[in-house]
Amino acid sequence: MTESQGAYSPQPHSYSAPVNPEWPPPPPYEPPTATMPAPEPGPAPRRGRTRGPIGLLAAVAIVAAAVGGGTAYAFQELTGKDTVDSTGTTTTVVPSSKKGDVAAIAAAVSPSVVEIQAALGSGSSTGSGVIITGDGEIVTNNHVVSGATSVKVRTSDGKSYTAEIVGTDSSKDLALIKLRGASGLKAAALGNSSNVQVGDSVVAIGSPEGLTGTVTSGIVSALDRDVTVSTDENQGQNQGGDGQWPFQFGGREFNGDTGSSTTTYKAIQTDASLNPGNSGGALIDANGNIIGINSAMYSSSSQSSSSSDAGSIGLGFAIPVNTVKSDLAKLRAGSTS
């Protein structure tokens, strides 16, 4: 639906915003005609001159409201959801006076990030996910839930849910899961990764090493990095030490062998601290919008034997949120590629 169609073609819908307002009614007076009596002598009435611009402004205001409401209506019709879970433009989740404030961003977005526990035939996988609808749709990495026999999710308030895998896309390392019996959850605001610039401040939220709701911060250190990950089921769960997901970058392999079946995507690079368990979690901009899904991070292979090498060294990668949004329809349709 185009914006103009949203303004002029009424459609019945439960959405309460004035998405299809009619044009303003005519002015409450009749224009002069030849049959009307001549006006009384005196200064010419100024009513038409003052009301004309006001009427025009009112019309413009109503049409502007129609365009805004029509956009939301069109998105709801497209997705079939009562809650708009993504936007084409950046919104402000935190107050403008708190832009870039890590504490404010964490308070606003943490309720939209969950911990995921996936039971596998050979063990288990711990990761994170981002709530995108109030009834429990969650985006995460494919490698977090790939090959899972069951999936458990814990929200930031400690509630536990069973989830089912709706769709997966190994070529983008993305998956969509759905909580059973969930309602009233806080959906994250999906931003616009095309606006991201090197040097932008970012916040990462996830469950590294099972530490639910961990918040770290940093900057965007590079864009459009070609990151290669495995598409083999369970490839990353038993390799790289501590179950880290293996990936390739710059001709080198990190965290283990990626295997023979791989895929490459353009990633956002960040120095925000990421560790095993952050996979599938949120990378967030200064306004509180999700700009990426954390997916790969480097840790030294010797971390288990040398405490000086333990943990993140500031080299992490995230799948741009615009890639996520373009893949949602496919995931919702139940694709298992």
Side-chain angles (χ1 to χ4, degrees), residues 295-315:
S295 58
M297 65 289 303
Y298 170 78
S299 276
S300 171
S301 60
S302 61
Q303 67 173 0
S304 59
S305 60
S306 173
S307 60
S308 63
D309 290 329
S312 169
I313 64 168
L315 184 62

Side-chain angles (χ1 to χ4, degrees), residues 167-228:
T168 60
D169 186 349
S170 60
S171 68
K172 296 182 177 67
D173 196 16
L174 290 172
L176 182 70
I177 64 175
K178 178 70 163 57
L179 304 185
R180 296 174 183 168
S183 63
L185 302 180
K186 183 175 181 180
L190 305 187
N192 186 352
S193 51
S194 294
N195 294 334
V196 176
Q197 298 181 8
V198 173
D200 283 351
S201 297
V202 290
V203 171
I205 303 179
S207 300
E209 307 292 356
L211 301 174
T212 305
T214 296
V215 178
T216 57
S217 64
I219 64 168
V220 172
S221 52
L223 295 171
D224 296 325
R225 291 299 202 196
D226 287 324
V227 174
T228 300

Side-chain angles (χ1 to χ4, degrees), residues 90-105 195 200-203 285-289:
T90 299
T91 58
T92 301
V93 178
V94 297
S96 57
S97 62
K98 295 289 186 178
K99 179 179 179 179
D101 186 292
V102 175
I105 294 170
N195 294 334
D200 283 351
S201 297
V202 290
V203 171
D285 68 11
N287 290 311
N289 297 285

Side-chain angles (χ1 to χ4, degrees), residues 14 28 44 77 146 208 249 282 334:
S14 60
E77 285 297 295
S146 179
F249 172 71

Side-chain angles (χ1 to χ4, degrees), residues 143 209 235-247 254-257 274-277 279 295-304 311-312:
H143 74 257
E209 307 292 356
Q235 175 70 25
Q237 306 306 333
N238 299 311
Q239 299 193 37
D242 293 338
Q244 294 185 74
W245 185 241
F247 66 97
F254 301 93
N255 304 339
D257 182 7
L274 301 179
N275 290 282
S279 291
S295 58
M297 65 289 303
Y298 170 78
S299 276
S300 171
S301 60
S302 61
Q303 67 173 0
S304 59
S312 169

Side-chain angles (χ1 to χ4, degrees), residues 23-24 53-67:
W23 286 104
I54 293 174
L56 176 61
L57 290 174
V60 170
I62 293 177
V63 171
V67 170

